[in-house]
Amino acid sequence: MKQDKADKIIQKAERKAAKAAKQVEIAGKKAEAAKQKQAAKAEKKAAQVAKKAEKKAAKHTKKAEQATKKAQLAAQKAQEKKAKAAAKTAAKALEGEEGEGGGKKKKGKKKLLIILIPVLAAAIGVGAFFFLKGGKEEEEAPPEPIPIPMEYVLNEIPITALPVIGDAVLVYQEEVPPEPPAEPEPSPEPEKDEDDKDGGEAPEGGEEGDGEEEPAPEPEEEEPGFTKILYRYEGLQNPVSLVSAYAAVMSTEDAGFSVVDETLLRIDPPEEYGEKGSIQLARNVPQAEDGTGGGVHSLLLSWEGNNCSVLLDMPEGRVHDPKPETPSAAAPRRGLADLEAIHPSKLGLSGESMDAYELIPQEGSVRIAGSICMRVNIYGQGNQFAGSYFLSTDGKLYKLDEAANAVVELDWE
Protein backbone atom coordinates (compact mmCIF):
# COMPACT_ATOMS: atom_id res chain seq x y z
CA MET A 1 0.00 0.00 0.00
CA LYS A 2 2.76 2.41 0.92
CA GLN A 3 4.63 1.42 -2.23
CA ASP A 4 1.64 2.32 -4.43
CA LYS A 5 1.31 5.69 -2.73
CA ALA A 6 5.01 6.39 -3.27
CA ASP A 7 4.75 5.41 -6.92
CA LYS A 8 1.83 7.79 -7.39
CA ILE A 9 3.80 10.64 -5.80
CA ILE A 10 6.76 9.93 -8.06
CA GLN A 11 4.54 9.80 -11.15
CA LYS A 12 2.89 13.06 -10.18
CA ALA A 13 6.29 14.72 -9.69
CA GLU A 14 7.46 13.43 -13.07
CA ARG A 15 4.37 14.84 -14.78
CA LYS A 16 4.97 18.22 -13.13
CA ALA A 17 8.63 18.17 -14.20
CA ALA A 18 7.67 17.31 -17.79
CA LYS A 19 5.08 20.08 -17.82
CA ALA A 20 7.63 22.58 -16.48
CA ALA A 21 10.19 21.52 -19.10
CA LYS A 22 7.61 21.97 -21.83
CA GLN A 23 6.80 25.48 -20.56
CA VAL A 24 10.49 26.37 -20.53
CA GLU A 25 10.81 25.10 -24.10
CA ILE A 26 7.82 27.18 -25.23
CA ALA A 27 9.20 30.30 -23.49
CA GLY A 28 12.56 29.77 -25.21
CA LYS A 29 10.89 29.53 -28.61
CA LYS A 30 8.90 32.69 -27.96
CA ALA A 31 12.06 34.57 -26.90
CA GLU A 32 13.92 33.40 -30.00
CA ALA A 33 11.02 34.46 -32.25
CA ALA A 34 10.88 37.86 -30.58
CA LYS A 35 14.64 38.28 -30.98
CA GLN A 36 14.47 37.43 -34.69
CA LYS A 37 11.54 39.80 -35.18
CA GLN A 38 13.42 42.64 -33.45
CA ALA A 39 16.54 41.97 -35.52
CA ALA A 40 14.51 42.00 -38.75
CA LYS A 41 12.84 45.24 -37.70
CA ALA A 42 16.21 46.88 -36.91
CA GLU A 43 17.65 45.69 -40.23
CA LYS A 44 14.65 47.09 -42.11
CA LYS A 45 14.99 50.42 -40.29
CA ALA A 46 18.72 50.64 -41.09
CA ALA A 47 17.98 49.90 -44.75
CA GLN A 48 15.41 52.71 -44.84
CA VAL A 49 17.89 55.19 -43.30
CA ALA A 50 20.59 54.16 -45.79
CA LYS A 51 18.15 54.53 -48.68
CA LYS A 52 17.18 58.04 -47.56
CA ALA A 53 20.84 59.01 -47.26
CA GLU A 54 21.57 57.66 -50.75
CA LYS A 55 18.65 59.60 -52.24
CA LYS A 56 19.81 62.80 -50.57
CA ALA A 57 23.41 62.30 -51.74
CA ALA A 58 22.22 61.61 -55.30
CA LYS A 59 20.14 64.78 -55.22
CA HIS A 60 23.12 66.89 -54.06
CA THR A 61 25.34 65.29 -56.72
CA LYS A 62 22.83 66.04 -59.47
CA LYS A 63 22.57 69.68 -58.40
CA ALA A 64 26.36 70.00 -58.35
CA GLU A 65 26.65 68.51 -61.85
CA GLN A 66 24.02 70.92 -63.19
CA ALA A 67 25.81 73.90 -61.64
CA THR A 68 29.13 72.75 -63.13
CA LYS A 69 27.62 72.40 -66.62
CA LYS A 70 26.13 75.88 -66.42
CA ALA A 71 29.47 77.35 -65.35
CA GLN A 72 31.30 75.54 -68.18
CA LEU A 73 28.79 76.73 -70.79
CA ALA A 74 28.99 80.34 -69.55
CA ALA A 75 32.80 80.22 -69.60
CA GLN A 76 32.86 78.82 -73.13
CA LYS A 77 30.49 81.52 -74.39
CA ALA A 78 32.58 84.22 -72.73
CA GLN A 79 35.77 82.95 -74.37
CA GLU A 80 34.12 82.76 -77.80
CA LYS A 81 32.80 86.30 -77.43
CA LYS A 82 36.21 87.56 -76.33
CA ALA A 83 37.99 85.86 -79.26
CA LYS A 84 35.49 87.25 -81.80
CA ALA A 85 35.91 90.75 -80.42
CA ALA A 86 39.72 90.45 -80.67
CA ALA A 87 39.46 89.23 -84.28
CA LYS A 88 37.14 92.05 -85.23
CA THR A 89 39.46 94.65 -83.68
CA ALA A 90 42.50 93.22 -85.48
CA ALA A 91 40.63 93.12 -88.80
CA LYS A 92 39.66 96.79 -88.51
CA ALA A 93 43.23 97.76 -87.71
CA LEU A 94 44.57 95.85 -90.70
CA GLU A 95 41.97 97.34 -93.03
CA GLY A 96 43.17 100.79 -92.02
CA GLU A 97 46.77 99.91 -92.88
CA GLU A 98 45.83 98.35 -96.23
CA GLY A 99 43.82 101.40 -97.16
CA GLU A 100 47.01 103.42 -96.96
CA GLY A 101 49.03 100.79 -98.88
CA GLY A 102 46.84 100.77 -102.02
CA GLY A 103 46.31 97.56 -103.98
CA LYS A 104 47.45 95.11 -101.28
CA LYS A 105 44.02 95.11 -99.58
CA LYS A 106 42.54 91.77 -100.71
CA LYS A 107 45.69 89.82 -100.12
CA GLY A 108 46.10 91.19 -96.58
CA LYS A 109 42.51 90.26 -95.66
CA LYS A 110 42.94 86.68 -96.78
CA LYS A 111 46.19 86.35 -94.84
CA LEU A 112 44.64 87.81 -91.65
CA LEU A 113 41.67 85.40 -91.87
CA ILE A 114 44.00 82.39 -92.18
CA ILE A 115 45.93 83.51 -89.08
CA LEU A 116 42.87 84.28 -86.92
CA ILE A 117 41.06 80.95 -87.47
CA PRO A 118 43.63 78.76 -85.59
CA VAL A 119 44.06 81.48 -82.93
CA LEU A 120 40.31 81.51 -82.27
CA ALA A 121 40.15 77.71 -82.07
CA ALA A 122 43.11 77.57 -79.68
CA ALA A 123 41.60 80.24 -77.41
CA ILE A 124 38.26 78.40 -77.20
CA GLY A 125 40.00 75.08 -76.50
CA VAL A 126 42.22 76.53 -73.74
CA GLY A 127 39.29 78.33 -72.11
CA ALA A 128 37.10 75.22 -72.10
CA PHE A 129 39.91 73.06 -70.66
CA PHE A 130 40.65 75.61 -67.92
CA PHE A 131 37.05 75.94 -66.78
CA LEU A 132 36.41 72.19 -67.00
CA LYS A 133 39.41 71.50 -64.82
CA GLY A 134 38.78 74.40 -62.42
CA GLY A 135 35.11 73.49 -62.02
CA LYS A 136 35.96 69.96 -60.93
CA GLU A 137 38.64 71.11 -58.48
CA GLU A 138 36.56 73.87 -56.88
CA GLU A 139 33.37 71.80 -56.57
CA GLU A 140 32.67 71.24 -52.89
CA ALA A 141 31.21 67.99 -51.65
CA PRO A 142 27.91 68.31 -49.75
CA PRO A 143 28.26 68.15 -45.95
CA GLU A 144 27.80 64.76 -44.34
CA PRO A 145 25.46 64.35 -41.33
CA ILE A 146 26.98 63.21 -38.04
CA PRO A 147 25.52 60.92 -35.35
CA ILE A 148 23.23 62.73 -32.92
CA PRO A 149 25.57 64.03 -30.16
CA MET A 150 24.82 63.17 -26.55
CA GLU A 151 27.09 65.95 -25.30
CA TYR A 152 29.03 68.94 -26.61
CA VAL A 153 32.68 69.60 -25.72
CA LEU A 154 33.80 73.18 -25.13
CA ASN A 155 37.40 73.80 -24.07
CA GLU A 156 37.68 70.08 -23.13
CA ILE A 157 34.64 70.34 -20.82
CA PRO A 158 31.57 68.21 -21.68
CA ILE A 159 28.14 69.89 -21.83
CA THR A 160 24.83 68.07 -22.05
CA ALA A 161 23.62 68.30 -25.64
CA LEU A 162 20.15 69.05 -26.96
CA PRO A 163 18.11 65.90 -26.13
CA VAL A 164 17.19 64.77 -29.65
CA ILE A 165 16.05 61.32 -30.78
CA GLY A 166 14.63 59.94 -34.01
CA ASP A 167 16.01 58.53 -37.24
CA ALA A 168 14.39 61.33 -39.27
CA VAL A 169 16.57 64.01 -37.58
CA LEU A 170 19.78 64.99 -39.38
CA VAL A 171 22.62 66.73 -37.53
CA TYR A 172 25.46 68.66 -39.18
CA GLN A 173 28.56 70.05 -37.46
CA GLU A 174 30.76 72.83 -38.78
CA GLU A 175 33.38 75.24 -37.49
CA VAL A 176 32.86 79.02 -37.63
CA PRO A 177 36.30 80.70 -37.77
CA PRO A 178 36.72 84.10 -36.08
CA GLU A 179 36.39 87.21 -38.20
CA PRO A 180 39.73 88.79 -39.18
CA PRO A 181 40.59 92.01 -37.30
CA ALA A 182 39.73 95.24 -39.07
CA GLU A 183 42.67 96.86 -40.86
CA PRO A 184 43.68 100.26 -39.45
CA GLU A 185 42.96 103.24 -41.68
CA PRO A 186 46.09 104.80 -43.28
CA SER A 187 47.17 108.06 -41.70
CA PRO A 188 46.90 111.12 -44.00
CA GLU A 189 50.13 112.36 -45.59
CA PRO A 190 51.48 115.72 -44.28
CA GLU A 191 50.91 118.68 -46.56
CA LYS A 192 53.96 120.11 -48.29
CA ASP A 193 55.10 123.70 -47.79
CA GLU A 194 54.93 126.23 -50.62
CA ASP A 195 58.74 126.18 -50.90
CA ASP A 196 58.67 122.44 -51.60
CA LYS A 197 55.97 122.86 -54.26
CA ASP A 198 57.87 125.66 -56.04
CA GLY A 199 61.15 123.83 -55.90
CA GLY A 200 62.74 126.18 -53.38
CA GLU A 201 66.04 125.73 -51.63
CA ALA A 202 66.52 122.96 -49.11
CA PRO A 203 66.79 123.99 -45.48
CA GLU A 204 70.22 124.67 -44.07
CA GLY A 205 72.22 121.87 -42.61
CA GLY A 206 71.95 119.45 -45.51
CA GLU A 207 70.34 118.62 -48.82
CA GLU A 208 66.97 117.07 -49.31
CA GLY A 209 66.88 113.35 -48.63
CA ASP A 210 69.80 113.41 -46.18
CA GLY A 211 67.56 112.81 -43.13
CA GLU A 212 66.37 109.25 -42.77
CA GLU A 213 62.83 108.66 -41.56
CA GLU A 214 62.39 106.47 -38.54
CA PRO A 215 60.68 103.15 -39.40
CA ALA A 216 57.11 102.89 -38.17
CA PRO A 217 56.66 100.42 -35.32
CA GLU A 218 55.29 97.10 -36.46
CA PRO A 219 51.75 96.39 -35.21
CA GLU A 220 51.48 93.75 -32.56
CA GLU A 221 50.07 90.46 -33.79
CA GLU A 222 46.69 89.74 -32.28
CA GLU A 223 46.00 86.27 -31.01
CA PRO A 224 43.51 84.38 -33.18
CA GLY A 225 39.97 84.38 -31.79
CA PHE A 226 38.02 81.36 -30.67
CA THR A 227 36.72 79.06 -33.41
CA LYS A 228 33.02 78.59 -32.74
CA ILE A 229 31.30 75.24 -33.27
CA LEU A 230 27.86 75.11 -34.89
CA TYR A 231 25.44 72.18 -34.69
CA ARG A 232 22.49 72.25 -37.12
CA TYR A 233 19.46 70.02 -36.51
CA GLU A 234 17.03 69.35 -39.37
CA GLY A 235 13.69 67.50 -39.30
CA LEU A 236 12.69 68.15 -35.68
CA GLN A 237 9.07 67.50 -34.70
CA ASN A 238 8.63 70.36 -32.18
CA PRO A 239 11.78 72.50 -31.79
CA VAL A 240 9.95 75.15 -29.72
CA SER A 241 9.11 72.70 -26.90
CA LEU A 242 12.55 71.10 -27.21
CA VAL A 243 14.40 74.42 -26.81
CA SER A 244 12.21 75.65 -23.92
CA ALA A 245 12.68 72.39 -22.01
CA TYR A 246 16.44 72.37 -22.68
CA ALA A 247 16.78 75.99 -21.51
CA ALA A 248 14.90 75.16 -18.30
CA VAL A 249 17.13 72.15 -17.57
CA MET A 250 20.38 74.01 -18.34
CA SER A 251 19.29 76.93 -16.11
CA THR A 252 19.17 74.72 -13.01
CA GLU A 253 21.81 75.02 -10.30
CA ASP A 254 23.49 71.75 -11.32
CA ALA A 255 24.03 72.82 -14.94
CA GLY A 256 24.94 76.40 -13.96
CA PHE A 257 23.74 78.24 -17.09
CA SER A 258 21.67 81.43 -17.10
CA VAL A 259 19.63 83.21 -19.75
CA VAL A 260 21.69 86.25 -20.79
CA ASP A 261 21.69 89.07 -23.35
CA GLU A 262 24.50 89.92 -25.76
CA THR A 263 26.48 91.61 -22.92
CA LEU A 264 26.28 88.44 -20.73
CA LEU A 265 23.84 90.18 -18.37
CA ARG A 266 21.49 87.76 -16.62
CA ILE A 267 17.88 88.33 -17.72
CA ASP A 268 14.55 86.67 -17.09
CA PRO A 269 13.69 83.74 -19.40
CA PRO A 270 11.00 84.46 -22.00
CA GLU A 271 7.43 83.89 -20.86
CA GLU A 272 6.54 82.36 -24.23
CA TYR A 273 8.62 80.88 -27.04
CA GLY A 274 7.50 81.86 -30.55
CA GLU A 275 7.65 79.74 -33.68
CA LYS A 276 10.90 81.53 -34.57
CA GLY A 277 13.51 83.03 -32.27
CA SER A 278 16.76 82.65 -30.36
CA ILE A 279 17.96 82.49 -26.77
CA GLN A 280 21.47 82.63 -25.30
CA LEU A 281 22.59 80.55 -22.31
CA ALA A 282 25.93 81.22 -20.59
CA ARG A 283 27.87 80.33 -17.44
CA ASN A 284 31.15 81.29 -15.79
CA VAL A 285 33.79 78.54 -15.68
CA PRO A 286 36.19 78.56 -12.71
CA GLN A 287 39.90 78.16 -13.29
CA ALA A 288 41.69 75.00 -12.24
CA GLU A 289 44.53 75.02 -9.69
CA ASP A 290 47.11 74.92 -12.50
CA GLY A 291 45.62 78.05 -14.06
CA THR A 292 43.93 76.31 -16.98
CA GLY A 293 40.26 76.59 -17.88
CA GLY A 294 38.16 79.53 -16.86
CA GLY A 295 36.28 81.88 -19.15
CA VAL A 296 32.64 81.73 -20.23
CA HIS A 297 30.68 78.96 -21.91
CA SER A 298 27.95 80.23 -24.25
CA LEU A 299 25.18 78.34 -26.09
CA LEU A 300 23.21 80.37 -28.64
CA LEU A 301 20.05 78.46 -29.62
CA SER A 302 18.08 79.52 -32.70
CA TRP A 303 15.01 77.83 -34.15
CA GLU A 304 12.61 78.22 -37.07
CA GLY A 305 10.17 75.76 -38.62
CA ASN A 306 11.49 72.21 -38.11
CA ASN A 307 15.12 73.28 -37.79
CA CYS A 308 17.28 74.34 -34.85
CA SER A 309 20.92 75.33 -34.36
CA VAL A 310 23.25 75.48 -31.35
CA LEU A 311 26.33 77.73 -31.56
CA LEU A 312 29.10 77.00 -29.00
CA ASP A 313 31.29 79.98 -28.13
CA MET A 314 33.64 81.32 -25.45
CA PRO A 315 33.04 85.11 -25.45
CA GLU A 316 35.10 87.64 -23.53
CA GLY A 317 33.81 88.92 -20.19
CA ARG A 318 31.86 87.37 -17.31
CA VAL A 319 28.23 86.48 -16.73
CA HIS A 320 26.91 89.08 -14.28
CA ASP A 321 23.76 90.29 -12.51
CA PRO A 322 22.21 93.70 -13.15
CA LYS A 323 23.13 96.46 -10.74
CA PRO A 324 20.46 97.01 -8.07
CA GLU A 325 18.28 99.93 -8.95
CA THR A 326 18.26 102.86 -6.55
CA PRO A 327 14.79 104.13 -5.67
CA SER A 328 13.81 107.28 -7.52
CA ALA A 329 13.69 110.55 -5.63
CA ALA A 330 9.93 110.80 -6.17
CA ALA A 331 9.21 107.38 -4.67
CA PRO A 332 9.51 107.32 -0.84
CA ARG A 333 11.38 104.50 0.79
CA ARG A 334 8.88 102.02 2.24
CA GLY A 335 9.57 99.47 4.92
CA LEU A 336 7.96 97.06 7.37
CA ALA A 337 6.75 99.94 9.57
CA ASP A 338 4.75 101.36 6.63
CA LEU A 339 3.18 97.95 6.05
CA GLU A 340 2.19 97.71 9.74
CA ALA A 341 0.57 101.15 9.56
CA ILE A 342 -1.43 100.56 6.36
CA HIS A 343 -5.19 99.98 6.45
CA PRO A 344 -6.01 96.25 6.05
CA SER A 345 -8.41 96.98 3.17
CA LYS A 346 -5.45 98.12 1.06
CA LEU A 347 -4.07 94.59 1.39
CA GLY A 348 -7.41 92.91 0.77
CA LEU A 349 -7.77 92.01 4.46
CA SER A 350 -10.62 92.56 6.89
CA GLY A 351 -10.57 94.69 10.02
CA GLU A 352 -9.77 98.26 10.87
CA SER A 353 -6.16 97.90 11.99
CA MET A 354 -3.10 95.76 11.27
CA ASP A 355 -2.76 95.18 15.03
CA ALA A 356 -4.83 92.01 14.60
CA TYR A 357 -2.23 90.58 12.19
CA GLU A 358 1.31 89.31 12.56
CA LEU A 359 3.88 90.28 9.89
CA ILE A 360 6.82 87.89 9.46
CA PRO A 361 9.61 88.87 6.96
CA GLN A 362 11.13 85.94 5.02
CA GLU A 363 14.83 85.29 4.43
CA GLY A 364 16.36 86.08 1.04
CA SER A 365 14.95 88.30 -1.70
CA VAL A 366 13.22 88.02 -5.05
CA ARG A 367 13.31 90.17 -8.18
CA ILE A 368 10.06 91.65 -9.50
CA ALA A 369 10.02 93.95 -12.57
CA GLY A 370 13.79 94.37 -12.24
CA SER A 371 13.67 95.48 -8.57
CA ILE A 372 14.82 93.53 -5.50
CA CYS A 373 11.93 92.78 -3.14
CA MET A 374 11.55 91.52 0.42
CA ARG A 375 8.81 88.96 1.03
CA VAL A 376 6.52 89.36 4.06
CA ASN A 377 4.00 86.70 5.13
CA ILE A 378 0.96 87.93 7.09
CA TYR A 379 -0.97 85.74 9.57
CA GLY A 380 -4.32 86.48 11.20
CA GLN A 381 -6.06 85.16 14.29
CA GLY A 382 -5.27 81.58 15.19
CA ASN A 383 -2.05 81.81 13.21
CA GLN A 384 -4.11 81.53 10.01
CA PHE A 385 -2.19 82.42 6.83
CA ALA A 386 -3.58 85.62 5.28
CA GLY A 387 -1.25 86.16 2.30
CA SER A 388 2.22 86.97 0.97
CA TYR A 389 3.30 90.51 0.14
CA PHE A 390 6.46 92.05 -1.34
CA LEU A 391 8.18 95.36 -0.56
CA SER A 392 10.46 96.56 -3.38
CA THR A 393 13.49 98.82 -3.10
CA ASP A 394 11.78 101.42 -5.32
CA GLY A 395 8.84 101.80 -2.92
CA LYS A 396 6.28 99.53 -4.60
CA LEU A 397 3.96 97.01 -2.91
CA TYR A 398 2.94 93.68 -4.43
CA LYS A 399 0.59 90.86 -3.41
CA LEU A 400 0.98 87.22 -4.44
CA ASP A 401 -2.08 85.86 -6.25
CA GLU A 402 -1.72 82.15 -5.49
CA ALA A 403 -4.54 81.09 -7.82
CA ALA A 404 -2.87 82.71 -10.85
CA ASN A 405 0.68 82.19 -9.51
CA ALA A 406 1.46 85.86 -10.24
CA VAL A 407 2.01 89.12 -8.36
CA VAL A 408 -0.35 92.13 -8.38
CA GLU A 409 0.80 95.66 -7.60
CA LEU A 410 -1.14 97.43 -4.81
CA ASP A 411 -1.54 101.11 -3.99
CA TRP A 412 -0.19 102.50 -0.74
CA GLU A 413 -2.66 105.38 -0.60
Side-chain angles (χ1 to χ4, degrees):
M1 193 73 178
K2 290 182 178 180
Q3 183 65 35
D4 293 340
K5 192 173 182 180
D7 292 340
K8 287 180 179 180
I9 294 171
I10 292 171
Q11 290 174 2
K12 190 175 181 180
E14 289 176 350
R15 286 196 297 270
K16 285 184 177 180
K19 188 177 180 181
K22 192 172 183 180
Q23 290 176 347
V24 171
E25 184 180 356
I26 292 170
K29 288 181 179 179
K30 286 183 178 179
E32 184 65 25
K35 187 177 179 182
Q36 291 177 357
K37 187 177 180 181
Q38 189 175 3
K41 189 176 179 182
E43 187 176 353
K44 186 179 179 181
K45 200 170 185 181
Q48 290 175 350
V49 173
K51 193 173 181 181
K52 284 183 181 179
E54 288 176 1
K55 284 183 179 179
K56 193 161 186 179
K59 189 176 179 182
H60 283 298
T61 304
K62 190 175 180 180
K63 284 184 179 180
E65 289 176 354
Q66 291 175 351
T68 304
K69 286 180 181 178
K70 286 182 180 179
Q72 293 169 0
L73 186 60
Q76 186 176 352
K77 287 182 179 179
Q79 288 296 325
E80 289 177 358
K81 191 174 180 181
K82 189 175 180 182
K84 286 180 181 178
K88 193 173 180 181
T89 304
K92 285 183 178 180
L94 190 58
E95 281 178 5
E97 291 178 1
E98 287 173 350
E100 294 175 0
K104 297 180 181 179
K105 187 174 182 181
K106 286 186 179 179
K107 190 175 180 182
K109 264 193 175 181
K110 205 175 280 184
K111 191 173 181 182
L112 174 66
L113 186 61
I114 294 170
I115 293 172
L116 285 177
I117 288 173
V119 171
L120 178 62
I124 294 172
V126 171
F129 173 78
F130 172 78
F131 281 95
L132 280 171
K133 186 178 178 183
K136 287 183 181 179
E137 288 180 354
E138 294 178 3
E139 180 182 348
E140 294 183 359
E144 292 291 334
I146 64 170
I148 297 176
M150 294 295 103
E151 61 181 23
Y152 309 129
V153 178
L154 194 54
N155 197 22
E156 301 182 357
I157 298 178
I159 301 172
T160 303
L162 202 65
V164 176
I165 57 174
D167 297 332
V169 179
L170 297 177
V171 186
Y172 299 91
Q173 179 184 357
E174 59 185 86
E175 292 184 350
V176 182
E179 296 182 359
E183 295 183 358
E185 296 182 0
S187 57
E189 295 182 359
E191 296 182 358
K192 294 183 178 180
D193 296 336
E194 292 296 329
D195 293 341
D196 295 337
K197 292 180 182 177
D198 298 338
E201 295 180 359
E204 294 182 2
E207 298 180 356
E208 290 183 357
D210 289 347
E212 295 182 358
E213 295 183 358
E214 295 183 0
E218 295 183 0
E220 296 182 359
E221 293 185 0
E222 296 185 2
E223 294 184 1
F226 179 77
T227 300
K228 305 174 186 178
I229 304 172
L230 178 67
Y231 289 89
R232 293 187 293 108
Y233 295 81
E234 297 181 0
L236 296 171
Q237 293 293 330
N238 193 348
V240 178
S241 299
L242 181 66
V243 170
S244 61
Y246 181 69
V249 171
M250 299 305 286
S251 300
T252 58
E253 187 177 353
D254 292 337
F257 282 86
S258 302
V259 181
V260 299
D261 62 8
E262 62 275 4
T263 65
L264 300 180
L265 174 70
R266 288 189 177 95
I267 59 175
D268 295 330
E271 295 181 359
E272 294 183 0
Y273 289 78
E275 295 299 322
K276 174 185 176 182
S278 63
I279 185 173
Q280 185 176 2
L281 305 174
R283 69 180 180 187
N284 295 323
V285 182
Q287 280 191 343
E289 293 182 357
D290 57 357
T292 59
V296 173
H297 286 173
S298 171
L299 305 174
L300 178 60
L301 290 88
S302 304
W303 66 92
E304 181 178 3
N306 294 329
N307 301 332
C308 176
S309 66
V310 181
L311 181 65
L312 278 64
D313 191 13
M314 292 190 67
E316 298 291 335
R318 300 292 289 173
V319 178
H320 56 283
D321 291 316
K323 294 180 179 179
E325 296 181 1
T326 56
S328 60
R333 180 86 178 191
R334 304 282 187 172
L336 195 60
D338 298 284
L339 195 60
E340 291 174 344
I342 198 172
H343 196 276
S345 61
K346 296 291 183 181
L347 304 178
L349 304 176
S350 60
E352 295 297 327
S353 172
M354 291 299 295
D355 295 339
Y357 296 93
E358 184 178 2
L359 283 64
I360 301 180
Q362 305 298 303
E363 292 184 1
S365 60
V366 295
R367 186 178 294 276
I368 301 175
S371 300
I372 298 175
C373 301
M374 176 181 68
R375 180 171 182 169
V376 180
N377 288 344
I378 299 180
Y379 296 87
Q381 293 181 354
N383 202 24
Q384 186 176 1
F385 180 72
S388 292
Y389 299 84
F390 299 91
L391 296 170
S392 70
T393 55
D394 57 356
K396 293 181 180 180
L397 174 63
Y398 300 91
K399 178 183 178 181
L400 176 62
D401 186 351
E402 295 184 353
N405 193 24
V407 292
V408 181
E409 186 177 353
L410 304 178
D411 293 329
W412 284 98
E413 304 300 333

